Amino acid sequence: MTLTSAARPLGARSATARTAGSLTLGLALASALTAVAGSPAAADTTGGYEMCPTVYYYVVPEGSPGLEAIADLILDDPERADEIYGYNEGRSQSDGTALGEDRAVQPGWRLVVPFDSGGEGVYEGRDPLCVVAVDQANAQGVAPPSPPPAPPAYTPPPENEPSASPSADADADAAAGPGDRPKIDPRILIVGAVVLILLTLLTLFWQPVFKAIAWPFKKIAALPWRKPRKPRSARIAAAMRRRRAATESVISDPDAVHRAGGAHTDLLSAPAEIPARPVAILTTLDETTAIVPVGATPPASSWRVVGTTTWRYARGSTAPGPFNFATATHTVVRPMTAGVLACLGTLEDERTLVHVDLTRMRGLLAVGGDQRVASDTVRVIADALHSQGLTVRVLPSGRPLHSLIPETMPDLSAPDPIGGIEHSRERPLVVIVPRPLGTADEHVIGNIPPNTLVVAMGEAEVARWQWKADEDGSVDTGALGLRVVLRLPEHRS
């Protein structure tokens, strides 16, 4: 039997420890060879040892603490004691005992160990337990039993071959021709160029880009159904605050009616190819704007066009302060504008007063929507026209409309609601209907005399002007394109 000491040292042991271990291993090996040589198995007279595989085994010395200590000694890992136990469980040692569940080991046992074991007491040779079994079989003259499978043999890892030097690689690339060099996919170049362009544009124009991305989300967030609706009492209180602010703006600028009347007369008297007949005048402390029909020609001297139906009074750059129309114009303001303009309130900016020329339209003005605001709208119109000296009649409750309006032939040449009618010195009759019109009043609406203006609540298909009052205290004037925050009606004594 050939016996060889395992000369593979553990990586964590020093050179001095390896030298001492080698000397001790040599002495132990000489003793073992002497003992084996004196045994019957050493003579190898009967044969049979070739069946014993070559393994690594460990000779247990005196005072060995156990498998965990052995695994830590020869494998540097006490947790690998289970491998040693699996190789030697139930195998009879030379003294007739075997490794059991208690994992107790005896001095002199030869334990088969993994192939990567090393250090003092580890040997390479034929399986010592198999040799003992062959010796016993030869002594009894029987065939030796089949040995248990041995652990896998140790195969040293291949040595890493040194890589070629960078200079050699460079020389190889230089020796290779242009066709042998790796080519870059043009699609990669195109994608890289596109990404670079997009990043450049994003760097230069990141603000408008992010605004454009956020725009649809802002619109969705601003939708009415996404906002919780306030209680009705809170909505009414907010509307009253807006209307009080509009009323205070009207009261704080008492001269606004004179400026609006002066602008109105200036437009009516100015020479133009198509005379301007304004239907509304907007005034602030330092600006006057007129809403006129489409196609009118503005006076070249004082008005400039800012929209299709919007003109603005252009005062000179050296004329500070509020607007001052010509003296000749002021001399005819009151006779020509009496009963023409009615101040309804302000725009939503709460500083621009709205004066509507109600007498330039005839027929029915219907105010629908919220009944409370619609009723106040009718009252504000009635008060404004009455203060201008017009005859205002209020239809009593329960009486039909024809009781106040005589039956006449319908005026088939009625103008459009924006253009109005030609200016006339005849004062119109104003009929206020503080209720929605019924079916009995429909036949009267088509026969309203030319000099009569009917202001009623509700909605009507035959109305010349159809306005809509909202709960927030504003009124949509329909064809005029203005949204007016309604002023509060005057208190009646």
Side-chain angles (χ1 to χ4, degrees):
M1 180 184 67
T2 303
L3 187 64
T4 305
S5 173
R8 289 175 293 101
L10 294 177
R13 297 188 175 93
S14 62
T16 304
R18 289 197 297 268
T19 303
S22 300
L23 295 176
T24 307
L25 182 62
L27 296 176
L29 180 61
S31 302
L33 290 175
T34 305
V36 174
S39 64
D44 200 11
T45 56
T46 57
Y49 296 105
E50 64 276 0
M51 66 179 296
C52 297
T54 300
V55 297
Y56 291 92
Y57 62 91
Y58 175 73
V59 179
V60 180
E62 292 287 343
S64 177
L67 289 184
E68 285 73 10
I70 295 174
D72 186 26
L73 178 65
I74 65 177
L75 295 171
D76 280 345
D77 188 0
E79 295 183 357
R80 298 184 64 182
D82 292 340
E83 297 182 37
I84 301 176
Y85 177 77
Y87 293 150
N88 300 275
E89 179 186 9
R91 300 183 65 187
S92 298
Q93 298 290 334
S94 58
D95 58 358
T97 59
L99 182 64
E101 294 181 356
D102 57 355
R103 298 195 178 192
V105 295
Q106 301 297 328
W109 282 9
R110 287 167 172 74
L111 302 177
V112 179
V113 294
F115 63 85
D116 55 345
S117 302
E120 183 180 355
V122 178
Y123 302 94
E124 179 182 7
R126 296 190 181 277
D127 188 352
L129 301 183
C130 177
V131 172
V132 172
V134 171
D135 290 343
Q136 294 176 356
N138 290 337
Q140 297 175 4
V142 296
S146 299
Y154 173 74
T155 303
E159 297 182 358
N160 295 330
E161 298 181 359
S163 59
S165 61
S167 59
D169 295 340
D171 295 340
D173 293 341
D180 298 335
R181 297 178 182 177
K183 298 181 179 179
I184 300 178
D185 193 345
R187 291 176 294 182
I188 298 178
L189 296 177
I190 294 174
V191 172
V194 171
V195 172
L196 182 60
I197 293 173
L198 292 178
L199 291 177
T200 303
L201 294 177
L202 183 61
T203 304
L204 296 176
F205 308 103
W206 65 273
Q207 288 183 340
V209 169
F210 281 104
K211 286 183 180 179
I213 295 175
W215 181 83
F217 297 99
K218 290 182 179 179
K219 290 297 182 181
I220 294 175
L223 292 176
W225 54 268
R226 292 186 60 87
K227 297 180 180 179
R229 194 176 184 184
K230 297 180 180 179
R232 178 174 175 81
S233 58
R235 299 195 303 269
I236 293 176
M240 289 301 295
R241 287 194 296 269
R242 296 183 65 193
R243 295 181 60 185
R244 289 194 190 97
T247 306
E248 292 175 359
S249 298
V250 174
I251 296 174
S252 62
D253 189 8
D255 192 52
V257 64
H258 299 293
R259 296 198 305 273
H264 184 267
T265 305
D266 184 63
L267 290 173
L268 289 178
S269 60
E273 296 179 1
I274 302 177
R277 295 185 294 273
V279 292
I281 302 294
L282 311 179
T283 63
T284 61
L285 292 176
D286 54 358
E287 191 174 80
T288 300
T289 305
I291 307 298
V292 298
V294 177
T297 305
S301 59
S302 56
W303 295 86
R304 60 185 177 90
V305 178
V306 294
T308 306
T309 60
T310 306
W311 297 349
R312 185 162 297 158
Y313 183 78
R315 59 191 174 97
S317 58
T318 60
F323 294 106
N324 295 313
F325 292 93
T327 305
T329 302
H330 278 288
T331 58
V332 293
V333 165
R334 291 193 177 277
M336 294 189 64
T337 61
V340 171
L341 298 177
C343 183
L344 301 181
T346 66
L347 296 181
E348 294 188 343
D349 60 2
E350 297 182 356
R351 56 183 294 269
T352 303
L353 275 59
V354 180
H355 310 266
V356 179
D357 184 4
L358 295 176
T359 61
R360 297 196 66 79
M361 57 86 68
R362 299 293 187 270
L364 173 63
L365 167 60
V367 183
D370 186 77
Q371 292 187 357
R372 180 179 56 84
V373 181
S375 176
D376 288 349
T377 304
V378 173
R379 285 186 55 189
V380 168
I381 294 175
D383 294 341
L385 296 181
H386 183 266
S387 64
Q388 295 293 337
L390 297 184
T391 303
V392 179
R393 296 182 180 179
V394 180
L395 183 66
S397 177
R399 293 189 58 182
L401 182 60
H402 66 81
S403 62
L404 295 181
I405 300 178
E407 296 184 3
T408 59
M409 294 297 294
D411 185 7
L412 300 178
S413 61
D416 62 274
I418 297 298
I421 62 173
E422 293 295 335
H423 181 72
S424 174
R425 292 184 178 275
E426 182 183 1
R427 294 180 177 273
L429 172 65
V430 180
V431 177
I432 302 299
V433 183
R435 59 172 175 81
L437 296 174
T439 56
D441 303 322
E442 293 181 357
H443 71 283
V444 181
I445 299 300
N447 299 328
I448 296 178
N451 64 335
T452 304
L453 169 63
V454 179
V455 183
M457 292 178 56
E459 298 180 358
E461 296 181 357
V462 295
R464 186 69 59 82
W465 282 2
Q466 180 65 63
W467 292 1
K468 183 180 179 181
D470 291 335
E471 189 182 28
D472 61 356
S474 62
V475 179
D476 185 359
T477 58
L480 287 180
L482 301 175
R483 193 174 189 85
V484 183
V485 179
L486 186 67
R487 62 180 296 183
L488 295 175
E490 296 179 1
H491 294 284
R492 299 177 182 177
S493 58

